[in-house]
């Protein structure tokens, strides 16, 4: 109950309308009800240190970090925030330093009007890494995080030791044009002021459509997780900033066409859910990288951390440990 009260106060401390705050409170209380059935919202280890880092690109990036050892940065996707990495962070912190930021506009990072192209967000990530006193790291990403991570690896190739990307396309990289024609990605083109008005107060309905369309297990993400993430995006400016991730795709595609001309040479693990991207993730990455390993998580849809956390964590750990073993030789 104490944790629930703290969570409630944290979210309601942001200025907003009474109606919006009531909706957020309702979502948080629904999460408490879900907990009564053995569910709990995702979270990073409580021992992680929290700080907010100023990005020179005009954003305040909330980041948590913990553990000790080789540094790995975890970059979350849309319809989630940094807490989605809970299972992986808890495992890696045993022998890695784990850095987990909220992307600009999401979670507890600031929500500026601009800067949602993935090149700018890659600069946000670089500011996080260097401000914390690090330089070379591995990077693990999911969903829209893939796009930020790819831009980061392309812009700072000598700063990325190993790259993991999971279950999402890269704007401008084949088969991007075919993917855009799929009715399943309707949300890529659903943004702008009218979309914000339509979704206001109905954020859970909007996100349910995305979660349900791409899961391999109708029960995942569970109710507590859905309520938790909905509450974060329901904050003032949250949906505007979330939609801005998609608005930037046309610019991202142009940038990535340029990046594609110079292939990534660091080892890349391309992970797809069997019931989602599957082996297509490796096909995409082979357009932009020379050393790509393919992995498919059986039975999983898009939401790998929620649907198959143990299997996904094991894949990532094995890939990162292979790099550590080579460094030790």
């Amino acid at each position: 109950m104490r944790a629930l009260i703290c969570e409630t106060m944290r979210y309601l401390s942001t200025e907003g309308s009474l109606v919006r705050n009531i909706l957020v409170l309702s979502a948080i209380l629904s999460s408490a009800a879900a907990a009564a059935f053995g569910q709990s919202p995702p979270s990073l280890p409580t021992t992680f240190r929290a700080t907010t880092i100023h990005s020179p690109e005009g954003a305040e990036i909330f980041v948590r970090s913990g553990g000790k050892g080789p540094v790995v940065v975890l970059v979350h996707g849309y319809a989630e925030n940094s807490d989605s990495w809970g299972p992986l962070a808890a495992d890696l912190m045993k022998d890695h330093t784990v850095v987990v930021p909220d992307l600009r506009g999401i979670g507890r990072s600031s929500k500026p009007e601009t800067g949602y192209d993935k090149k700018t967000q890659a600069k946000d990530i670089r500011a996080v890494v260097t401000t914390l006193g690090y330089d070379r790291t591995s990077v693990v990403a999911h969903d829209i995080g893939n796009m930020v991570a790819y831009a980061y690896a392309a812009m700072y190739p000598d700063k990325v030791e190993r790259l993991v990307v999971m279950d999402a396309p890269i704007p401008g990289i084949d088969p991007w044009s075919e993917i855009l024609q799929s009715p399943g990605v309707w949300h890529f083109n659903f943004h702008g002021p009218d979309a914000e008005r339509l979704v206001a107060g109905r954020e859970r309905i909007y996100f349910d459509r995305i979660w349900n369309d791409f899961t391999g297990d109708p029960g995942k993400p569970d109710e507590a997780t859905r309520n938790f993430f909905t509450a974060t995006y329901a904050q003032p400016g949250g949906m505007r900033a979330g939609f801005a991730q998609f608005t930037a795709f046309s610019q991202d595609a142009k940038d990535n066409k340029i990046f594609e001309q110079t292939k990534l040479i660091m080892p890349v693990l391309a992970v797809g859910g069997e019931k989602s991207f599957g082996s297509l993730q490796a096909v995409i990455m082979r357009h932009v990288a020379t050393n790509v390993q393919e992995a498919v998580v059986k039975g999983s849809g898009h939401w790998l951390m929620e649907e198959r956390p143990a299997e996904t964590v094991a894949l990532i750990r094995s890939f990162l440990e292979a790099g550590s073993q080579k460094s030790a030789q």
Side-chain angles (χ1 to χ4, degrees):
M1 181 58 69
R2 180 180 179 184
L4 172 62
I5 293 172
C6 290
E7 191 72 12
T8 302
M9 293 305 295
R10 174 165 67 82
Y11 283 122
L12 297 189
S13 64
T14 304
E15 290 186 5
S17 70
L18 175 61
V19 172
R20 179 60 56 87
N21 282 341
I22 290 173
L23 290 168
V24 173
L25 177 59
S26 176
I28 293 171
L29 292 176
S30 295
S31 292
F37 293 94
Q39 299 177 6
S40 59
S43 63
L44 296 181
T46 56
T47 56
F48 273 30
R49 302 172 299 277
T51 188
T52 298
I53 291 173
H54 175 71
S55 168
E57 299 301 316
E60 306 301 317
I61 305 300
F62 178 77
V63 58
R64 285 168 287 178
S65 59
K68 186 176 182 180
V71 182
V72 57
V73 179
L74 311 183
V75 188
H76 69 84
Y78 186 68
E80 299 184 311
N81 62 25
S82 57
D83 285 290
S84 64
W85 290 116
L88 181 61
D91 182 86
L92 290 182
M93 69 177 290
K94 301 170 187 175
D95 48 19
H96 288 77
T97 298
V98 186
V99 176
V100 198
D102 279 336
L103 292 173
R104 71 164 56 202
I106 297 177
R108 281 178 268 182
S109 288
S110 66
K111 300 170 176 59
E113 292 293 328
T114 60
Y116 295 91
D117 64 280
K118 309 313 174 284
K119 280 179 63 175
T120 297
Q121 294 191 78
K123 294 176 183 177
D124 291 343
I125 300 300
R126 188 60 190 162
V128 166
V129 171
T130 57
T131 301
L132 290 176
Y134 309 123
D135 186 30
R136 285 176 56 82
T137 77
S138 292
V139 179
V140 179
H142 174 244
D143 191 76
I144 277 179
N146 284 7
M147 307 173 190
V148 177
Y150 172 57
Y152 185 87
M155 294 167 68
Y156 311 105
D158 60 330
K159 305 303 182 185
V160 178
E161 296 181 356
R162 294 194 152 229
L163 174 65
V164 180
V165 292
M166 301 197 298
D167 215 81
I170 305 292
I173 305 303
D174 287 340
W176 177 248
S177 296
E178 288 80 0
I179 290 172
L180 288 180
Q181 295 175 32
S182 169
V185 297
W186 59 271
H187 58 292
F188 283 10
N189 292 307
F190 184 77
H191 47 74
D194 289 336
E196 292 174 40
R197 292 169 57 211
L198 285 167
V199 171
R202 307 177 185 89
E203 292 88 355
R204 174 62 193 267
I205 298 171
Y206 164 80
F207 282 119
D208 272 343
R209 186 70 270 138
I210 296 172
W211 288 320
N212 293 342
D213 280 350
F214 297 112
T215 188
D217 178 352
K220 301 293 183 179
D222 62 27
E223 280 294 303
T225 300
R226 293 180 185 220
N227 286 329
F228 174 76
F229 287 136
T230 297
T232 68
Y233 283 85
Q235 286 298 293
M239 290 309 304
R240 171 190 57 76
F243 290 151
Q245 300 283 352
F246 302 110
T247 305
F249 278 0
S250 59
Q251 181 61 52
D252 296 334
K254 295 175 184 177
D255 293 335
N256 291 337
K257 283 295 186 182
I258 296 173
F259 289 149
E260 186 183 13
Q261 296 173 19
T262 303
K263 307 300 183 187
L264 303 179
I265 61 172
M266 76 285 294
V268 176
L269 176 63
V271 182
E274 180 186 27
K275 298 182 179 181
S276 184
F277 265 60
S279 60
L280 179 59
Q281 190 66 64
V283 172
I284 293 169
M285 294 311 296
R286 290 188 179 112
H287 286 294
V288 301
T290 61
N291 183 1
V292 178
Q293 300 177 35
E294 175 183 324
V296 176
V297 180
K298 291 184 178 180
S300 184
H302 177 69
W303 312 104
L304 293 150
M305 279 291 107
E306 290 78 19
E307 297 182 59
R308 294 291 188 275
E311 296 92 327
T312 306
V313 167
L315 278 172
I316 296 170
R317 169 168 283 283
S318 177
F319 177 72
L320 295 178
E321 286 181 344
S324 299
Q325 292 168 0
K326 288 185 178 180
S327 298
Q329 292 176 354

